[in-house]
Amino acid sequence: MSIPALDARAMAAAQAELDRKTKPRGSLGRLEELAVRLAGIHGPAEPRFAVVVVAADHGYAEEGVSAYPAEVTRQMLSNFAAGGAAVSVLAREAQAELVVVDAGVREPFEHPGVRSARIGPGTANATRGPAMSREQALASIAAGRELAGDLEGVTAVALGDMGIANTTAAAALHAALLGVPAADVCGPGTGLDARGVQRKAEVVERALAANAPFADDPVDVLAALGGFEIGVLAGVALGAAQRRAAIVLDGFIVGAAALVAARVDPRVVDYMIAAHLSPEPGHRLGLDALGLRPLLELELRLGEGSGAALALPLLRAALAVLADMATFETAGVTDAGR
Amino acid sequence: MSIPALDARAMAAAQAELDRKTKPRGSLGRLEELAVRLAGIHGPAEPRFAVVVVAADHGYAEEGVSAYPAEVTRQMLSNFAAGGAAVSVLAREAQAELVVVDAGVREPFEHPGVRSARIGPGTANATRGPAMSREQALASIAAGRELAGDLEGVTAVALGDMGIANTTAAAALHAALLGVPAADVCGPGTGLDARGVQRKAEVVERALAANAPFADDPVDVLAALGGFEIGVLAGVALGAAQRRAAIVLDGFIVGAAALVAARVDPRVVDYMIAAHLSPEPGHRLGLDALGLRPLLELELRLGEGSGAALALPLLRAALAVLADMATFETAGVTDAGR
């Protein structure tokens, strides 16, 4: 199955309808662009949102690249499902269903609120060879597609991640897929100091060296540099686009998944909405490469889909403006802009 | 009655509580700053929002400074009350009460959904002398204060404006209060071309010349340059701060009201939250002068409080994070950031 083109006729109709609304043409700026794009993605459907948070562990953690120990991945998975994490709260606020996915934390995890899509017990340490096998990379993308297939009636899927050390995986993927030096895409993550950032960049350089040269195949790059949650998220994006749902990107790690998905099928980018700009330096490079402009810039550096969930009210507002505003004609307002 | 200082103890307690939540310290960026400020403004109250849209007509309209005829002010007032305008839709989406106020459209206006706070039938043309009397300026501020006094239990008041030609009044007020040339604060408003912007700047220069010199009294400056809705909005801001409600600023016209209010009582600024940055060039100058940083930058240039209403979900989210997130202790998550 392939990703359909956006519905150009629906987009033109939405723009024409917005131009009849009681406001100067274009005066709602980027909210109007959003409304038009959502019309092209899924038409005038009632908004129904899901936030999909995917967690996995990373061999990079052995290299001391995070301020937090690896067991936090598993602890946070439990916190997501129990409703106490930031994304749990923000998904509720956005009236979005929260789907929590274990793509491979180190120790197997059973929880009624967590969906299992385990590819393995965390990735291998990519500084010594591939983070995963090609088969695992393919399996992670397939698991994500399957997950998206289950999101019946969902018009927008917000993506989130959890995985101690996963900004290192995201940095390595950005470096390899964009062809930029490690130093350009390494930042403090959730709390490194300058020395920690430098160490992270060295780890990324070693991972790139251990796996070079990279074939022009996103699956091989994903296998080399990890991680499982990134592969699953790329799959969710591809699957969501296939079923005409908007894909609301969170920060840097989801950005890496978006780059992988875009290399698998460039048409997926039409369905992507960049929720926010992370302070991680690589995030802007990735969004620029995808041609996406973030909606929010709130210095969020948590991940989990927190920024994606925060942008959902803007989608709802854009759809409401298109559906519910009066036109110049119905409201009896003089239209000077005609 | 005077404006109370922010509750520093509540702010410190909120920051400490945020630091116990299951997330790296500060990782929710500006959302955390917002939560702390709201704690200082009103404490842990259940969020209750109002959007107050105030409309009036302007003598500047005689000078051909708007793409729209003056009767549109009145037509839009009716549209607000009927629920068809952008702000009507966006206030509903934000679960905010919409309060529609007539501060002085040209022809008297009766509508069950419109509150009357008429100061006069539109301002005089400020290029030939004061837009209103000092008594009218004081009455407009008093009417706004009274209005704020009626917003029982409201924790945040989003401000919006309507008035054909009121970007000209706002530009004149910015120029006079900030001491900058008219050309620096004149932009396309809701739809002028470059020649129109130049004409607007000339009109502002004439209004400044006709009323100079300006005393160091914001009421006299307001009286000289208008308009009635701007005075009422300044009063609502002052009254909202007095009763410890957050003031959510919209764009350039509300920004002019904020400048007036801040000159009346600088403590009001502590209660102000800048919802968005308008493309009007003067808006950023005004926010800079107030020391406020906008939350959104979506190229909105409609007014009406549309941008302020769009920012309300961020306030709700900030409060929910503070109230509802689990702590490291309650969730059993390892806290490495201590």
Side-chain angles (χ1 to χ4, degrees):
Chain A
M1 252 180 72
S2 70
I3 294 174
L6 296 189
D7 184 340
R9 191 181 296 187
M11 291 173 78
Q15 187 60 65
E17 177 64 13
L18 285 169
D19 289 348
R20 282 190 289 270
K21 301 293 192 185
T22 48
K23 57 171 185 52
R25 305 278 184 283
S27 60
L28 283 174
R30 298 192 60 204
L31 203 69
E32 296 194 34
E33 292 172 24
L34 190 54
V36 169
R37 193 123 79 88
L38 292 173
I41 289 174
H42 60 59
E46 193 64 27
R48 205 177 130 203
F49 299 151
V51 179
V52 177
V53 195
V54 189
D57 273 310
H58 292 262
Y60 293 106
E62 295 169 9
E63 303 291 328
V65 288
S66 174
Y68 286 80
E71 61 259 32
V72 168
T73 306
R74 193 171 181 278
Q75 292 168 347
M76 285 301 297
L77 200 52
S78 177
N79 195 24
F80 296 149
V87 72
S88 319
V89 171
L90 296 174
R92 274 201 298 276
E93 284 297 312
Q95 299 161 59
E97 176 191 2
L98 181 65
V99 181
V100 182
V101 183
D102 172 10
V105 297
R106 286 198 308 194
E107 290 168 46
F109 186 85
E110 292 281 334
H111 189 294
V114 176
R115 179 167 166 153
S116 177
R118 288 179 64 79
I119 312 299
T123 51
N125 185 334
T127 64
R128 301 192 212 119
M132 66 182 96
S133 67
R134 182 176 167 87
E135 289 64 39
Q136 286 179 310
L138 287 167
S140 67
I141 294 172
R145 284 184 187 270
E146 191 188 327
L147 226 151
D150 292 346
L151 298 172
E152 194 78 49
V154 166
T155 57
V157 186
L159 301 182
D161 70 283
M162 177 70 216
I164 296 301
N166 70 1
T167 59
T168 306
L173 286 167
H174 275 76
L177 292 169
L178 302 178
V180 298
D184 289 6
V185 290
C186 285
T190 46
L192 293 181
D193 58 13
R195 219 178 114 201
V197 175
Q198 200 190 330
R199 190 187 316 125
K200 191 202 279 190
E202 286 160 13
V203 169
V204 170
E205 288 292 6
R206 281 161 49 210
L208 294 170
N211 289 283
F214 293 96
D216 192 24
D217 179 340
V219 177
D220 285 338
V221 178
L222 171 65
L225 303 170
F228 295 144
E229 84 280 41
I230 295 174
V232 171
L233 287 165
V236 174
L238 291 162
Q242 234 168 28
R243 61 181 307 154
R244 307 197 75 103
I247 304 153
V248 184
L249 304 179
D250 193 44
F252 186 47
I253 291 95
V254 168
L259 287 179
V260 170
R263 292 292 166 99
V264 171
D265 189 339
R267 287 167 300 181
V268 71
V269 180
D270 287 342
Y271 290 80
M272 291 178 179
I273 292 160
H276 80 108
L277 182 69
S278 155
E280 283 294 292
H283 191 213
R284 190 188 288 271
L285 295 178
L287 291 182
D288 284 352
L290 294 168
L292 297 175
R293 199 171 147 205
L295 288 168
L296 302 171
E297 195 168 342
L298 298 173
E299 294 160 21
L300 308 171
R301 52 187 176 78
L302 175 58
E304 298 183 5
S306 50
L310 278 172
L312 291 176
L314 293 176
L315 274 69
R316 204 180 286 277
L319 292 166
V321 160
L322 185 56
D324 301 341
M325 266 185 76
T327 62
F328 283 105
E329 197 175 9
T330 58
V333 176
T334 307
D335 180 9
R338 241 193 300 239
Chain B
M1 253 181 67
S2 71
I3 294 174
L6 297 190
D7 184 341
R9 190 181 297 189
M11 291 172 80
Q15 187 60 65
E17 177 65 15
L18 284 169
D19 288 348
R20 283 191 289 270
K21 301 294 193 186
T22 49
K23 56 171 188 49
R25 305 277 185 284
S27 60
L28 283 175
R30 298 192 62 205
L31 203 67
E32 297 195 32
E33 292 172 23
L34 191 54
V36 169
R37 193 121 81 87
L38 292 173
I41 289 174
H42 60 59
E46 194 63 27
R48 204 177 130 202
F49 300 151
V51 179
V52 178
V53 195
V54 189
D57 273 310
H58 292 261
Y60 293 107
E62 295 169 10
E63 303 292 328
V65 288
S66 174
Y68 286 79
E71 63 258 29
V72 167
T73 306
R74 191 170 182 282
Q75 292 168 347
M76 285 302 296
L77 200 53
S78 177
N79 194 24
F80 296 149
V87 73
S88 320
V89 172
L90 296 173
R92 274 201 298 275
E93 284 297 311
Q95 299 160 60
E97 176 192 0
L98 181 65
V99 181
V100 182
V101 182
D102 172 11
V105 297
R106 287 200 304 197
E107 289 168 46
F109 186 83
E110 293 281 334
H111 190 291
V114 176
R115 179 167 165 154
S116 178
R118 290 179 63 81
I119 312 299
T123 50
N125 185 336
T127 63
R128 299 192 212 121
M132 64 182 97
S133 67
R134 182 175 166 86
E135 289 64 39
Q136 286 179 311
L138 285 168
S140 68
I141 294 173
R145 284 185 187 271
E146 191 188 328
L147 225 152
D150 293 345
L151 297 173
E152 194 77 50
V154 166
T155 57
V157 185
L159 301 181
D161 69 283
M162 177 70 217
I164 293 304
N166 69 1
T167 59
T168 305
L173 285 167
H174 275 75
L177 292 169
L178 301 178
V180 297
D184 289 6
V185 290
C186 286
T190 46
L192 292 180
D193 57 14
R195 219 178 116 202
V197 175
Q198 198 191 332
R199 188 187 317 126
K200 191 202 279 191
E202 287 160 11
V203 169
V204 169
E205 289 292 6
R206 280 162 48 210
L208 293 170
N211 290 281
F214 292 96
D216 192 23
D217 179 338
V219 176
D220 284 339
V221 179
L222 171 65
L225 303 170
F228 295 143
E229 83 280 43
I230 294 174
V232 171
L233 287 164
V236 174
L238 291 163
Q242 236 169 27
R243 61 180 309 154
R244 308 196 71 102
I247 304 153
V248 184
L249 304 179
D250 193 43
F252 185 48
I253 291 95
V254 169
L259 287 179
V260 170
R263 293 293 166 100
V264 171
D265 188 339
R267 288 167 300 183
V268 71
V269 180
D270 286 343
Y271 291 80
M272 291 179 179
I273 292 160
H276 80 108
L277 182 69
S278 154
E280 284 293 294
H283 191 214
R284 189 189 288 271
L285 295 179
L287 292 182
D288 284 351
L290 294 168
L292 297 174
R293 200 170 145 206
L295 289 167
L296 302 171
E297 194 168 341
L298 297 173
E299 294 161 18
L300 308 171
R301 50 186 177 79
L302 175 57
E304 297 184 5
S306 50
L310 278 171
L312 291 176
L314 292 175
L315 273 70
R316 204 180 285 277
L319 292 166
V321 160
L322 185 57
D324 300 341
M325 265 185 77
T327 62
F328 283 105
E329 198 175 8
T330 58
V333 175
T334 307
D335 180 10
R338 241 192 299 239

